[in-house]
Amino acid sequence: MSARIRPDLAAIPSYVPGRSFPGAIKLASNETTHAPLPGVADAIAEAAQTVNRYPDNRNTELVGEIAKRLNVAPEQIAIGCGSVALCQELAQITAGPGDEVLYAWRSFEAYPVVTQVVGATAVTVPLTADHVHDLDAMAAAITPRTRLVFVCNPNNPTGTAVGRAALERFLDSVPANVLVVLDEAYFEYLRIPGADAPDGIELGRGRPNVVVLRTFSKAYGLAGMRVGYAVGDPEIIAALAKVHIPFSVNRLAQAAAMASLDAQAALLDRTHAVVDERARVRAALIEIGYDVPPTESNFVWLPLGERAAAFGEASAEAGVLVRPYGTDGVRVTIGDPEENDAFLAFAGQSAIVAEYAGSAASAG
């Protein structure tokens, strides 16, 4: 006789990471292709000498440094094992059976998982025809049962983003007792110009029902270290501490994040390079004949519909791993120029173009 587990777990999907196999070019997981930023490897090596001791469960040094840089109080910051862990903790402190969690779809695939884990009901709102969050429709979907709203900006997997003015209107329309999470995992790649550039930290000032998530996994290149952080009202941050898994952010991760914060110039150089490459890749795909929405992240989105899975398999057979999403589309990470060229060479083959680009793809 086996141990009894919750019967509802059978209906909860497992998170599916991007594929990988030896020798393939991996453009499936939105990782940076660079090694850690200058000084980070040395900080990790030094911290390795102390792993016989537990890490600081309060992440005091890292919290203090982030607070100083963002001009917020330390009591407004929580550190997590990647921002995805904080997503689950936010669901745990706000929602349960009978409650609703609202998010756009398609968006970050962890949202439905964390919603079901806490026994809440998912309410999804389709993206617009341009693959952007429909904030007006999301506001209209809020009910007395809504406890938590996720807004992924830039959105994963479409790469699209909404500007500051639209976000402000949305936040002002949300009831004060509903927590809104601005998930800014790809914040460092945003290049919306001028006053409409969205910055969740600034938008959250004076709005106690707004929490902002950011991460060291993407632009900072610490995907293997798992460090993310939340910025919000001290009451929300205190509640997160109650469901936080003790010592889940290890000593090496804390040291790596601290060192990364001291390499802002190198970080900016890297993100500029990615932004230049994403513009080149998107322009090339559009010239080939693909529909590619504007992107503010380190990936591009191909809305291939029913042909998404087949395109992903064909790309894998050509030695380039990309990320299909059901019957919606394919996400392609921006890699090094030669990796991007390999993908463009595949995507530009006459047979592939005939099958997946232009009217053939839209017909799917």
Side-chain angles (χ1 to χ4, degrees), residues 63 67 70-78 201 204-206 210-212 229-238 240:
V63 164
L70 297 180
N71 191 29
V72 300
E75 294 77 19
Q76 292 180 259
I77 295 175
I201 305 300
R205 298 189 194 277
V210 173
V211 171
V212 180
Y229 60 95
V231 183
D233 185 80
E235 184 178 346
I236 300 298
I237 300 305
L240 286 174

Side-chain angles (χ1 to χ4, degrees), residues 64-72 258 260-264:
E65 186 60 29
I66 293 173
K68 181 174 69 175
R69 290 170 183 267
L70 297 180
N71 191 29
V72 300
M258 283 291 296
S260 294
L261 290 172
D262 290 331
Q264 293 298 307

